[in-house]
Amino acid sequence: YLGNAELIGTFKSEHKISSIKDLQSNRIINTLRRRPCTVSDLQQALNLRPAEIQKYLNLLQSKGKIETEKRERGTFFKVKADT
């Protein structure tokens, strides 16, 4: 029950996201565009479980959108330069 609530307009999304998979993949890509990240970095930034992050990273790698780089602190994921 909303009482005296008044509808003042409809919500229009700027971007149409077809699924949660696309939403999460886009969140990861946008984060990686800022800087390369480890799974742990992404977990902290996006508040997702490591297994879920790894699932999306595998998907993005299979699509050729991201690549890995071994560094002292571990394996970092980054957006491919041509993406």
Side-chain angles (χ1 to χ4, degrees):
Y1 177 71
L2 297 176
N4 293 329
E6 178 182 348
L7 182 61
I8 58 172
T10 58
F11 174 75
K12 293 182 182 178
S13 174
E14 289 183 28
H15 304 285
K16 292 187 178 181
I17 307 266
S18 62
S19 69
I20 294 296
K21 177 176 72 173
D22 291 340
L23 174 65
Q24 300 296 23
S25 294
N26 285 338
R27 288 178 68 206
I28 289 171
I29 286 286
N30 288 336
T31 302
L32 296 178
R33 280 194 177 114
R34 290 186 205 110
R35 66 178 175 85
C37 295
T38 64
V39 171
S40 179
D41 295 335
L42 290 168
Q43 179 186 4
Q44 291 176 358
L46 303 174
N47 197 29
L48 295 171
R49 294 185 324 266
E52 192 172 2
I53 291 168
Q54 193 62 58
K55 175 177 71 174
Y56 293 115
L57 291 172
N58 291 341
L59 176 69
L60 292 167
Q61 278 185 296
S62 72
K63 290 182 175 183
K65 295 185 179 276
I66 63 171
E67 59 190 359
T68 60
E69 182 180 314
K70 300 278 186 189
R71 296 186 182 178
E72 185 178 320
R73 199 166 62 87
T75 301
F76 282 74
F77 296 86
K78 62 182 185 177
V79 176
K80 281 193 171 179
D82 58 344
T83 304

